[in-house]
Amino acid sequence: ETGVTQSPTHLIKTRGQQVTLRCSSQSGHNTVSWYQQALGQGPQFIFQYYREEENGRGNFPPRFSGLQFPNYSSELNVNALELDDSALYLCASRRQGGNTEAFFGQGTRLTVV
Amino acid sequence: AQSVAQPEDQVNVAEGNPLTVKCTYSVSGNPYLFWYVQYPNRGLQFLLKYITGDNLVKGSYGFEAEFNKSQTSFHLKKPSALVSDSALYFCAVRGVNFNKFYFGSGTKLNVKP
């Protein structure tokens, strides 16, 4: 196991609702990023946090937002849920640096109905 | 722009035979390249990475990858496939500002007994 834990594992929400997903980073990792993986596709980068600041963002609208806490845990918030937001959401943590690999949690499966 | 291509949606190989999963990349500057494996309903597990140095990189579970700068490729290889290697494999490149991974679309590896 990598030490990155995500909660909840599964979630069902109604269109228009808001959702918060949580991630606990691996010990010693100060950088956390979030990815959306639609069925049959590769993970798509949402954003990254380092020292509680967002320092990178993919092509996702502002209704996708996040937080990183002093203990390096993180949240992903999605407002005004749409059916297309149904996906596996992956959190990954790593040490800061260009050559460091990211370790992924098992993901949260979000279904929007 | 950074991008990764995995030209094969699926690779079929018999147990005991060598396997190759292909990946080509496009990146500005020096490439930081990674391979991950994903089992059903699981997050991504790190296999190996290329940062600099030897063109043949050895990783977990007997996997290795060959970096070819002139062909901008980073193919994943294993001398003798196991049925338990059957999974979804993703190639990824680190962006030039190191803030995100760009993932390929994934290759499903089927190893038949």
Side-chain angles (χ1 to χ4, degrees):
Chain A
E1 294 298 319
T2 66
V4 180
T5 57
Q6 293 185 241
S7 62
T9 55
H10 295 84
L11 200 55
I12 300 175
K13 288 286 190 178
T14 302
R15 187 172 49 183
Q17 284 187 315
Q18 178 266 344
V19 68
T20 297
L21 310 182
R22 295 178 173 83
C23 173
S24 176
S25 302
Q26 184 164 321
S27 178
H29 290 184
N30 55 15
T31 301
V32 66
S33 51
W34 286 89
Y35 292 80
Q36 180 194 66
Q37 186 179 17
L39 202 60
Q41 298 183 21
Q44 298 294 315
F45 175 75
I46 303 175
F47 45 56
Q48 177 174 280
Y49 279 81
Y50 171 63
R51 291 185 175 178
E52 303 176 52
E53 297 280 339
E54 182 182 299
N55 70 344
R57 190 175 183 92
N59 294 324
F60 281 82
R63 59 188 185 85
F64 286 79
S65 62
L67 286 173
Q68 186 183 31
F69 300 99
N71 65 355
Y72 303 131
S73 65
S74 176
E75 287 182 356
L76 164 65
N77 299 290
V78 187
N79 294 323
L81 284 167
E82 301 176 358
L83 296 179
D84 285 348
D85 295 333
S86 296
L88 182 67
Y89 288 86
L90 296 165
C91 169
S93 74
R94 62 182 179 92
R95 291 177 287 109
Q96 181 67 355
N99 62 354
T100 59
E101 61 272 24
F103 292 89
F104 285 78
Q106 292 192 337
T108 294
R109 172 73 63 187
L110 173 65
T111 302
V112 182
V113 297
Chain B
Q2 281 67 237
S3 66
V4 171
Q6 294 182 242
E8 302 157 317
D9 291 336
Q10 187 167 297
V11 169
N12 298 310
V13 65
E15 188 174 30
N17 283 359
L19 69 87
T20 299
V21 182
K22 296 179 180 177
C23 171
T24 59
Y25 66 90
S26 172
V27 64
S28 302
N30 294 324
Y32 290 171
L33 298 158
F34 304 80
W35 275 101
Y36 285 85
V37 60
Q38 186 176 36
Y39 294 96
N41 300 314
R42 302 290 298 273
L44 278 68
Q45 295 180 30
F46 170 74
L47 282 178
L48 51 80
K49 65 181 178 183
Y50 172 84
I51 303 301
T52 187
D54 292 339
N55 290 341
L56 187 63
V57 179
K58 293 190 182 298
S60 306
Y61 313 118
F63 283 94
E64 55 191 26
E66 186 173 12
F67 172 70
N68 187 314
K69 187 173 183 179
S70 63
Q71 297 184 2
T72 61
S73 66
F74 189 55
H75 299 334
L76 182 70
K77 299 174 184 280
K78 188 174 183 181
S80 179
L82 299 172
V83 172
S84 58
D85 293 330
S86 298
L88 192 54
Y89 290 80
F90 289 98
C91 182
V93 63
R94 175 72 56 77
V96 66
N97 59 2
F98 306 147
N99 285 349
K100 57 184 173 180
F101 287 90
Y102 295 85
F103 283 88
S105 54
T107 298
K108 184 177 181 183
L109 174 65
N110 295 314
V111 182
K112 298 182 186 292

